[in-house]
Amino acid sequence: MSANEGSDAEPAHPNAEQEVIAVDAQDQEQGTVNRLDAHTGDGVRHRAFTALVFDGDGRVLLAQRAPDKRLWDTHWDGTVASHPRPGQGQKEATRERLVDELGVTPDQYNDLRITDKFEYKRYYENAGLEWEVCAVLQCTLDEVDLAPDEEEVAGRLWADYDHLHQHPAWYRQLRLCPWFEIAMRRDFD
C-alpha cells in the first residue's frame, strides 16, 4: 500500500517527483535536490533558466503563467522559464520548454544563445521561494506561429522590449516575475 493509499493525505505535488541541479554561487553542480524541497522552507540554490524570445521587430514575447502554478501563478514571465534536468544543458532545456509550452520548434529560430547569468533569491507569499542561478537565453523567431499549452501558459503578449524597460510603471498591471525583471534590467545595464 502506498503512503497516500487509504488515507486522507493530499497527493504529493507533481514537483515532488522531479529533481533539479543544486549549485553553488559559481553555478558548480553540488548534486541534485527534490524540486519541491528546493522551493520551500529556506530553499536550496539550484540551476534555472529564463528564455526571452523576440520577433523581428524587437518585441519580446511575454507569457502569463497558468493559474495553477505553485509559485508566481498568473504573473507575466519572459517567454519560458524552468530548470534543466540532471545531465541536460541550458540550451537543450530551453528548446524543450519552447516546444512544450508554446509549440515553438527549433526550425522557427536559429540564434538561441546564452546572454547572461545571475543569482537571485525571492519569496512568494507563503507558498515558497526561488533561489536560483539563472541563465538567460535569447532567440529571435523567424515565424511567430504559436500553439500554447494552457496548463503552462494562460496568456501571451508581444511587448516592445525597449519600451517595457524604459516605462516599467506603465506595465505594472502585468505583475512581472522577478527573474524576468532582473534579466531585463541587466540586459540594459
Side-chain angles (χ1 to χ4, degrees), residues 50-178:
T50 186
L52 309 181
V53 172
F54 294 88
D55 69 6
D57 296 323
R59 298 180 306 164
V60 64
L61 177 59
L62 302 180
Q64 184 182 34
R65 292 170 59 85
D68 44 344
K69 292 278 190 182
R70 193 173 150 271
L71 302 175
W72 282 273
D73 53 307
T74 69
H75 282 63
W76 289 83
D77 198 351
T79 313
V80 295
S82 192
H83 311 88
R85 293 186 312 275
Q88 185 180 47
Q90 299 284 26
K91 287 184 178 182
E92 179 186 357
T94 299
R95 285 185 195 100
E96 186 176 281
R97 295 312 301 160
L98 286 170
V99 170
D100 292 349
E101 292 187 22
L102 293 164
V104 172
T105 58
D107 62 333
Q108 290 177 262
Y109 57 90
N110 62 12
D111 61 343
L112 183 63
R113 63 210 178 275
I114 297 173
T115 60
D116 194 12
K117 188 186 329 182
F118 58 88
E119 179 179 345
Y120 75 101
K121 187 174 188 178
R122 296 289 187 283
Y123 290 85
Y124 180 66
E125 299 175 351
N126 292 322
L129 76 155
E130 299 284 359
W131 185 12
E132 299 177 333
V133 175
C134 185
V136 179
L137 294 94
Q138 295 185 11
C139 69
T140 304
L141 291 184
D142 298 322
E143 178 212 321
V144 294
D145 287 338
L146 306 171
D149 176 351
E150 291 182 1
E151 290 185 23
E152 297 286 343
V153 178
R156 303 176 314 274
L157 172 69
W158 287 99
D160 182 280
Y161 195 50
D162 290 336
H163 193 261
L164 176 62
H165 176 260
Q166 291 168 5
H167 305 285
W170 296 1
Y171 296 87
R172 191 175 19 232
Q173 76 280 7
L174 293 180
R175 297 183 319 144
L176 299 175
C177 291

